[in-house]
Amino acid sequence: MSDNILQDSHGRDHAYLRISLIERCNLRCTYCMPKEGVTLSPKSDLMSYEEIYEIAKTFVDHGVTKIRLTGGEPLIRKDIPIILEKLATLPVELSITSNAVIIDKFIPVLKKYGVNKINVSLDSLDEGKFKHITRRHEFKRVYDNILLLVKEGFTIKINAVLMKDFNENEIIDFINFTKDLPVSVRFIEFMPFDGNKWDMSKMVSYADVMKLVNASFEEHQVERLQDAPNDTSKNYKIKGYQGTFAIISSVTNPFCDSCNRLRLTANGQLKNCLFSSEESDLLTTLRAGKSIEPVIQKAVLAKFKVRGGMDTLKKLQEPELHTKNRSMTAIGG
């Protein structure tokens, strides 16, 4: 077995692991979870905090330098403080994605274990739309908690999934949200997952966003920023604004060439690509007392060059190619 088990057949090294801690969530966002909900894995099938640590340590030993905790909503997992304590002993940058509904209760523990970078999911600045998309009355709490996180010194990115005829008319409002706050708003193209009724006509593209931006601001006001290595987003700033905005164009302009990400689901399945329905069972192998390294290497080598093999928009629009994938809440956001 090669020492570099995290390099795929296209020469991409994978240094970023996203770990889903839980499939459950305290919101019910329409693009993430079917209205009827999802069939959750039995608790015994989910990784324990010890197993999360053991698997994460194996990845870190082979070159992972960044771990992001996701869900569902990771903060509703009761042993989250222990998970953070264990992972904080590894030489990695530790971050988290949350819907921020209850994050105010976790500020001390996040600070204690060095979790400074927080991505918050927020698809509308309108309370009524927020309720419609999340099927819950939690807008004020989320909004207030974002302001609190900024005040407490966390680095905040706000993720907004754009959907035509729903929140595309809020793009400029979101950008103006960055005027007085040092946050980054990231617009995400609506992507296909099981149960979210995706079709191309619902998507607001990178080109659509920039057309609106350029019509709303003077050319000299819109500044293109340098993207970080392996960045998924194309980053911009309005001159004079404290914050920034970005577009994650997974559908129309994918960033697969520089992808360095792998995903671990809450029930211990390794996904080499968000768009792929293929999974590799690390948890069963670990529980059998066997090395997970060969399973990891095989999964990484099997990674397609582009979007789980859906290398054209035509393929992406074929339902049978993406409805076999999990819903987003079961993958890990």
Side-chain angles (χ1 to χ4, degrees), residues 305-324:
K305 189 174 183 180
V306 178
R307 269 193 316 237
M310 292 180 281
D311 52 4
T312 65
L313 287 177
K314 187 174 186 294
K315 286 183 183 178
L316 200 64
Q317 292 177 79
E318 294 177 18
E320 65 273 14
L321 292 181
H322 56 72
T323 52
K324 291 176 186 174

Side-chain angles (χ1 to χ4, degrees), residues 169-186:
N169 63 341
E170 293 189 71
I171 290 170
I172 302 305
D173 292 337
F174 268 113
I175 292 174
N176 285 332
F177 188 68
T178 72
K179 182 175 183 180
D180 300 314
L181 288 174
V183 300
S184 174
V185 172
R186 305 195 304 172

Side-chain angles (χ1 to χ4, degrees), residues 5 17 61 88 90 135 150 167-168 171 179 204 207 210 213 227 246 254 292 308-309:
I5 68 170
L17 179 66
D61 288 344
L90 298 173
R135 307 181 180 115
V150 171
N167 60 354
E168 63 183 327
I171 290 170
K179 182 175 183 180
V204 181
M210 291 313 300
V213 168
D227 300 329
I292 62 173

Side-chain angles (χ1 to χ4, degrees), residues 157-173:
K157 291 179 180 177
I158 296 171
N159 292 338
V161 176
L162 293 178
M163 286 159 283
K164 201 156 279 187
D165 300 323
F166 176 69
N167 60 354
E168 63 183 327
N169 63 341
E170 293 189 71
I171 290 170
I172 302 305
D173 292 337

Side-chain angles (χ1 to χ4, degrees), residues 16-40:
Y16 181 9
L17 179 66
R18 300 173 69 98
I19 304 175
S20 175
L21 301 183
I22 192 167
E23 296 169 354
R24 290 187 296 113
C25 189
N26 46 2
L27 298 180
R28 291 291 181 273
C29 300
T30 56
Y31 57 83
C32 185
M33 188 183 298
K35 189 175 183 179
E36 63 275 11
V38 295
T39 303
L40 298 172

Side-chain angles (χ1 to χ4, degrees), residues 40-295:
L40 298 172
S41 299
K43 190 173 181 182
S44 60
D45 288 358
L46 300 181
M47 296 181 292
S48 67
Y49 72 83
E50 297 98 337
E51 289 164 339
I52 291 169
Y53 173 77
E54 286 302 320
I55 293 174
K57 185 177 185 304
T58 300
F59 278 93
V60 173
D61 288 344
H62 286 279
V64 160
T65 58
K66 182 177 178 180
I67 291 176
R68 175 172 294 277
L69 303 178
T70 69
E73 171 49 47
L75 295 178
I76 65 174
R77 182 157 166 160
K78 290 184 171 59
D79 58 356
I80 182 70
I82 303 170
I83 293 169
L84 291 173
E85 180 182 6
K86 295 280 284 180
L87 293 178
T89 66
L90 298 173
V92 292
E93 178 189 289
L94 198 55
S95 57
I96 196 165
T97 294
S98 172
N99 57 35
V101 173
I102 58 172
I103 203 167
D104 52 304
K105 299 178 178 67
F106 293 89
I107 286 175
V109 75
L110 292 170
K111 286 187 173 182
K112 182 178 181 180
Y113 296 116
V115 183
N116 182 58
K117 294 182 177 180
I118 301 172
N119 287 9
V120 177
S121 304
L122 179 66
D123 302 306
S124 179
L125 294 170
D126 177 271
E127 190 167 2
K129 284 186 184 179
F130 180 92
K131 183 197 167 193
H132 176 80
I133 195 78
T134 65
R135 307 181 180 115
R136 294 293 184 270
H137 289 280
E138 300 287 5
F139 175 77
K140 189 174 189 309
R141 189 182 298 188
V142 171
Y143 190 89
D144 288 348
N145 279 344
I146 290 172
L147 299 182
L148 177 62
L149 290 169
V150 171
K151 183 181 176 184
E152 291 288 335
F154 290 94
T155 299
I156 303 300
K157 291 179 180 177
I158 296 171
N159 292 338
V161 176
L162 293 178
M163 286 159 283
K164 201 156 279 187
D165 300 323
F166 176 69
N167 60 354
E168 63 183 327
N169 63 341
E170 293 189 71
I171 290 170
I172 302 305
D173 292 337
F174 268 113
I175 292 174
N176 285 332
F177 188 68
T178 72
K179 182 175 183 180
D180 300 314
L181 288 174
V183 300
S184 174
V185 172
R186 305 195 304 172
F187 301 114
I188 301 173
E189 291 181 344
F190 184 39
M191 293 178 279
F193 298 104
D194 184 41
N196 74 355
K197 297 181 171 61
W198 181 88
D199 69 63
M200 206 63 180
S201 67
K202 295 180 182 178
M203 193 192 67
V204 181
S205 71
Y206 172 36
D208 293 334
V209 174
M210 291 313 300
K211 184 178 179 181
L212 184 59
V213 168
N214 291 326
S216 304
F217 297 95
E218 298 291 335
E219 186 178 346
H220 67 89
Q221 291 180 285
V222 183
E223 184 180 350
R224 178 72 164 96
L225 303 177
Q226 179 69 44
D227 300 329
N230 307 109
D231 212 338
T232 59
S233 57
K234 296 168 180 65
N235 297 273
Y236 295 84
K237 180 183 180 72
I238 302 300
K239 285 184 181 174
Y241 283 24
Q242 285 193 46
T244 62
F245 70 96
I247 301 99
I248 298 178
S249 53
S250 309
V251 176
T252 64
N253 199 347
F255 34 81
C256 304
D257 284 351
S258 62
C259 182
N260 69 338
R261 291 156 176 74
L262 297 168
R263 291 171 183 265
L264 182 65
T265 67
N267 63 344
Q269 306 296 307
L270 180 63
K271 289 180 72 73
N272 62 20
C273 175
L274 180 59
F275 284 91
S276 175
S277 60
E278 297 298 317
E279 300 178 353
S280 301
D281 190 347
L282 299 187
L283 187 55
T284 299
T285 305
L286 183 73
R287 287 179 176 177
K290 299 176 184 176
S291 171
I292 62 173
E293 291 170 332
V295 184

